[in-house]
Amino acid sequence: MDSLAAAPGTGPATSPLPILRKPRPAARFEDLPTGRTLVMGILNVTPDSFSDGGKHPTADTAVAAGLRMLYAGADIIDVGGESTRPGAEDVTPEEEQRRVLPVIQALVKAGALVSIDTTHASTAAAALKAGAAIINDVSGLTIEPEMAELVAASKVPYVLTHRRGDARTMNSLAEYTDVAGEVVAELAGVRDKLYAAGVSPEQIIVDPGLGFAKNDSHNWELLQNLDQLDSLGHRVLVAASRKRFLGTLLTVAGKSAAPEERDGATAAITAISAARGAWAVRVHDVGPSLDAVKVASRMAAVPTPQAVPKTH
């Protein structure tokens, strides 16, 4: 795409991309806000993602959705072209790139900081050429050697997510004695492979992989023990948005809450994660989570009252 446009609702436009805008300077990772948890908006250009699969069937509709996130205040737009939900079918890197590259190019021209959500080194490389600034890789323990080499050579930030197996096998691998301790240890093992390839510590962001080879109780235990991830010495990304364990929590009359009904619970986890020092949260609905991180940041700035000595 050579030009961009206003998202629906931001002007008199009646179609997604009718008002042309001049390209903006490329956003830079180092210019991201500091002093609060960041909000990463999820943009799935897929037919089968668990929450928004099929909602953005063309590049234009996906760009419009990404622009709405940008205008709502998202710090990062995370673009993915392959569903990572349990049981999802594999997508070839060629198809994945066909879906995501035009979207990345357009959003970067609009001034968005874009991350590429992929497990394929070839797609990550193509996305970086298109302007993406972060690689978000959920491959976990099965990371491609080529991915480590790409991250080292490109020097871009890299999200290292914990996952066992792949989309088809990970549910069968959700067995832990100490889920937080094992997740930290397994992340450290993959991190050592990244170090060996030449990746610097400053590039690495860790994600505990909620829902990836974890059942509901594992997810809650990880959230309760987020501080254990701090022992790795890296930024922490929390990605709980609309996931199945939230639907289970919100079950009414025996029916799990639908993905779109889980945004309130997602915002609650955002607030808790922000209060515990998470670097960023990855969410579908940007507005409520942005409000949540601002509240958490403001609360952190409130001085702790000094105890008044008792008098006798």
Side-chain angles (χ1 to χ4, degrees), residues 139-155:
S139 62
L141 307 184
T142 63
I143 180 175
E144 295 179 357
E146 296 83 2
M147 184 71 85
E149 295 167 3
L150 172 65
V151 175
S154 64
K155 302 187 184 305

Side-chain angles (χ1 to χ4, degrees), residues 140-145 148-149 152 160 186-199 204:
L141 307 184
T142 63
I143 180 175
E144 295 179 357
E149 295 167 3
L160 167 59
E186 290 172 14
L187 284 172
V190 181
R191 179 193 61 182
D192 289 345
K193 295 179 182 179
L194 293 169
Y195 284 170
V199 177
I204 298 174

Side-chain angles (χ1 to χ4, degrees), residues 67-147:
L67 290 174
R68 286 193 293 271
M69 290 183 194
L70 177 63
Y71 301 150
D75 300 297
I76 304 164
I77 308 295
D78 190 44
V79 179
E82 179 178 24
S83 175
T84 55
R85 63 176 175 79
E89 294 296 324
D90 292 341
V91 172
T92 65
E94 293 76 17
E95 173 61 17
E96 184 183 34
Q97 291 165 37
R98 184 195 68 78
R99 295 174 180 178
V100 302
L101 294 182
V103 178
I104 292 171
Q105 291 166 350
L107 292 176
V108 169
K109 286 183 179 180
L113 187 72
V114 174
S115 61
I116 174 63
D117 175 9
T118 185
T119 63
H120 303 295
S122 60
T123 297
L128 295 181
K129 289 181 180 178
I134 304 168
I135 299 172
N136 180 19
D137 179 6
V138 302
S139 62
L141 307 184
T142 63
I143 180 175
E144 295 179 357
E146 296 83 2
M147 184 71 85

